[in-house]
Amino acid sequence: MKTFHHVASLREYIATLKAAEKRIGLIPTMGALHEGHLSLVEQASTTCDVVVTSVFVNPTQFNESQDFDAYPRHLNDDAKKLENAGCDILFAPTNEEVYPEPDPTKYTFGHLDETMEGNHRPGHFNGVGMVVKRLFEIVEPDAGFFGQKDIQQVAVVRSLVQQYELPVEVVGCPTVREPSGLAMSSRNLRLSEEGLKIGANISKALKGARERASASVPEAKDWATQLLNDQPGLDLEYFETADAHDLQLLEEPEKGQSVVACVAAWVEGVRLIDNMVILD
Ligand code: AMP
């Protein structure tokens, strides 16, 4: 695996790959890598000649500086994990390399800015749009791989690609979970044993909602909301149901409509998100 910290040297190398008509896959990450991230590397390896993983804790997508400061950073471990997973290139730039000058563009994503993560984390998707557009410019990938765990983020990236006519295929990849059902996340590193157990109730609520949704989506939502509200140590921020394709919020689906349930909750001061298709 080759490691690059600078845009110029990476661009030089990418040019040789482009000249050789290699298909390049990019996995943007913020590091502290786990099996969820590595599953994206594996998926990219099956369809791309060269897999690039970026590790960059992007300040512009954090709406709380405390969350940015507390975000885990483990670059040496990340490099070992990526090498073992068959990644070809690690791109680990500094802030100055990614943003040599400020990007004044306001990235907007319609209803995605106004609901769930868009609503609860003001400016977050603007930052996601900014960094993904920049990484696409630097790496010029043929495909970008993103986890469905951040389901609104996948929709935001698809919208970005459409709005700016970027020649990148966006591939959404399934959520990898702990045996307890808890969705893997770099933020889980900040949870105690007890916190991990409490967090597992999020997937329990989603699975319970899935079992109940074919009878009634509103009742499934009420049941899951109640379960999470009753959980000591867990502070529910939202439990929403939305169209699984366009992520418009809904209460009662039309016949044949797929529904995804999306959750954000706080455990031990750590914000966890998850989602599951509950009606297909
Ligand atoms: P992050 O480092 O949290 O910004 O995540 C980088 C990429 O990995 C994003 O596309 C995430 O959606 C994806 N990802 C994070 N956690 C998981 C997971 N548990 N399963 C699958 N993909 C994930």
Side-chain angles (χ1 to χ4, degrees):
M1 186 176 73
K2 287 182 182 293
T3 299
F4 294 90
H5 298 287
H6 299 283
V7 171
S9 48
L10 175 66
R11 296 277 307 149
E12 245 173 59
Y13 188 62
I14 294 281
T16 66
L17 298 172
K18 290 270 166 198
E21 297 189 355
K22 300 288 185 198
R23 181 173 164 84
I24 301 174
L26 173 65
I27 300 142
T29 82
M30 298 204 296
L33 301 179
H34 50 66
E35 290 297 322
H37 296 113
L38 301 179
S39 75
L40 305 188
V41 174
E42 271 159 40
Q43 181 141 354
S45 309
T46 62
T47 54
C48 297
D49 303 308
V50 179
V51 178
V52 183
T53 304
S54 59
V55 171
F56 175 60
V57 186
N58 173 38
T60 70
Q61 74 187 69
F62 283 81
N63 52 321
E64 287 180 13
S65 61
Q66 195 262 340
D67 189 25
F68 174 72
D69 293 340
Y71 203 85
R73 290 157 169 90
H74 303 284
L75 189 58
N76 289 342
D77 285 353
D78 289 346
K80 283 182 208 137
K81 289 178 188 171
L82 287 171
E83 177 128 49
N84 289 336
C87 178
D88 301 291
I89 299 177
L90 163 60
F91 178 46
T94 58
N95 198 39
E96 290 68 33
E97 288 286 317
V98 177
Y99 302 119
E101 50 205 54
D103 177 355
T105 314
K106 282 276 160 276
Y107 296 90
T108 57
F109 303 101
H111 71 279
L112 297 166
D113 289 327
E114 276 138 39
T115 55
M116 304 191 282
E117 294 305 281
N119 178 28
H120 287 270
R121 299 187 69 189
H124 171 62
F125 287 142
N126 182 55
V128 169
M130 196 183 292
V131 77
V132 172
K133 180 149 178 291
R134 179 76 181 122
L135 289 169
F136 281 178
E137 265 165 24
I138 296 169
V139 178
E140 286 186 78
D142 298 281
F145 295 81
F146 297 85
Q148 292 286 0
K149 178 187 168 271
D150 300 282
I151 191 167
Q152 272 186 297
Q153 177 168 278
V154 180
V156 158
V157 175
R158 287 192 202 284
S159 168
L160 183 81
V161 161
Q162 211 174 20
Q163 288 182 50
Y164 292 89
E165 297 180 358
L166 307 173
V168 184
E169 182 194 349
V170 178
V171 183
C173 306
T175 302
V176 178
R177 298 178 179 282
E178 301 287 354
S180 69
L182 179 66
M184 289 194 181
S185 164
S186 307
R187 290 189 166 87
N188 295 353
L189 289 171
R190 291 166 52 199
L191 294 176
S192 70
E193 283 289 308
E194 180 61 16
L196 291 168
K197 276 191 206 144
I198 296 169
N201 284 287
I202 296 172
S203 65
K204 193 172 148 198
L206 287 167
K207 280 187 204 138
R210 191 175 60 193
E211 281 156 20
R212 288 161 175 80
S214 55
S216 161
V217 167
E219 277 174 30
K221 178 179 172 179
D222 286 349
W223 177 88
T225 304
Q226 185 78 46
L227 183 125
L228 292 171
N229 278 333
D230 286 349
Q231 182 58 49
L234 185 145
D235 188 8
L236 181 62
E237 192 167 281
Y238 65 75
F239 186 104
E240 297 284 9
T241 43
D243 179 291
H245 299 295
D246 65 16
L247 301 182
Q248 295 270 9
L249 295 187
L250 61 73
E251 294 300 324
E252 189 75 78
E254 316 244 308
K255 202 168 183 312
Q257 206 171 8
S258 296
V259 179
V260 64
C262 302
V263 187
W266 293 83
V267 177
E268 297 178 338
V270 178
R271 189 170 183 277
L272 302 173
I273 62 169
D274 197 357
N275 67 81
M276 206 174 275
V277 173
I278 60 167
L279 194 66
D280 215 353

